[in-house]
Amino acid sequence: GLVSSEMCIRDRGKQLSQPVAVDFSAGITTRVTTNSEWEIGDLVGISASEIVGTTSTPKYTNVQYKADADGESTTFFWAGTGQDEIAYTSENEMVFTAYYPHTDNEDGIIEANTATTEEEQKKIDFLFASSKGKYIEGNANQKINFAFQHKMLSLIHISEPTRPISI
């Protein structure tokens, strides 16, 4: 009993006296469109879970962040849209996932039309990234850097024409 409770305390990680906002930056490694650059104001959704021992606990879900500049890589800042800014609250490791373009659909369904122009394609160019990080006291550069890649489900529907059968 005493050994296992001691291990649990050790796994928990030191709690921080004040939350420390997480800084995010990102580049794009693969994309459907010919332009692999961010545009100022591009919106991404970021979620974060805290890892304690072997348990992952969701802390933030689909928090909106905004691209700070045009270019191949940019920093993202919290859009302040009603959800809390993602922050470290302990020294435990955190797992971050992000996707583009951000949608605030609560049911998780993303609707898209078939795109014929590059501007329309950008709206359905679904990008995904993930990264891990943890707060380290005294480390000035704790930015989480995402490498976004195009991710999309390929759905193939095969149908065969039916022929009337004469009896």
mmCIF file of all heavy atoms in Angstrom, residues 43 59 123 137 166:
data_model
loop_
_atom_site.group_PDB
_atom_site.id
_atom_site.type_symbol
_atom_site.label_atom_id
_atom_site.label_comp_id
_atom_site.label_asym_id
_atom_site.label_seq_id
_atom_site.Cartn_x
_atom_site.Cartn_y
_atom_site.Cartn_z
ATOM 1 N N LEU A 43 -7.426 29.912 -39.111
ATOM 2 C CA LEU A 43 -7.856 29.386 -37.815
ATOM 3 C C LEU A 43 -7.594 27.889 -37.707
ATOM 4 O O LEU A 43 -7.909 27.133 -38.631
ATOM 5 C CB LEU A 43 -9.347 29.641 -37.602
ATOM 6 C CG LEU A 43 -9.778 31.100 -37.569
ATOM 7 C CD1 LEU A 43 -11.301 31.197 -37.500
ATOM 8 C CD2 LEU A 43 -9.146 31.823 -36.396
ATOM 9 N N LYS A 59 -7.898 18.068 -21.220
ATOM 10 C CA LYS A 59 -7.949 19.330 -20.481
ATOM 11 C C LYS A 59 -8.579 20.450 -21.309
ATOM 12 O O LYS A 59 -9.226 21.326 -20.773
ATOM 13 C CB LYS A 59 -6.543 19.759 -20.042
ATOM 14 C CG LYS A 59 -5.892 18.832 -19.045
ATOM 15 C CD LYS A 59 -6.567 18.966 -17.703
ATOM 16 C CE LYS A 59 -5.839 18.162 -16.640
ATOM 17 N NZ LYS A 59 -6.493 18.231 -15.350
ATOM 18 N N LYS A 123 -10.699 25.311 -48.423
ATOM 19 C CA LYS A 123 -11.720 25.103 -47.400
ATOM 20 C C LYS A 123 -11.869 23.635 -47.017
ATOM 21 O O LYS A 123 -12.381 23.324 -45.951
ATOM 22 C CB LYS A 123 -13.059 25.655 -47.882
ATOM 23 C CG LYS A 123 -13.066 27.162 -48.059
ATOM 24 C CD LYS A 123 -14.393 27.615 -48.624
ATOM 25 C CE LYS A 123 -14.357 29.093 -48.968
ATOM 26 N NZ LYS A 123 -15.557 29.506 -49.698
ATOM 27 N N GLU A 137 10.672 24.390 -15.749
ATOM 28 C CA GLU A 137 10.966 25.670 -15.102
ATOM 29 C C GLU A 137 12.315 26.205 -15.571
ATOM 30 O O GLU A 137 13.300 25.481 -15.656
ATOM 31 C CB GLU A 137 10.973 25.493 -13.580
ATOM 32 C CG GLU A 137 10.971 26.808 -12.846
ATOM 33 C CD GLU A 137 10.734 26.633 -11.355
ATOM 34 O OE1 GLU A 137 10.221 25.571 -10.943
ATOM 35 O OE2 GLU A 137 11.051 27.558 -10.618
ATOM 36 N N SER A 166 -36.629 -10.595 -66.694
ATOM 37 C CA SER A 166 -37.933 -10.996 -67.208
ATOM 38 C C SER A 166 -38.223 -12.429 -66.747
ATOM 39 O O SER A 166 -37.355 -13.286 -66.770
ATOM 40 C CB SER A 166 -37.979 -10.889 -68.722
ATOM 41 O OG SER A 166 -36.866 -11.481 -69.300
#
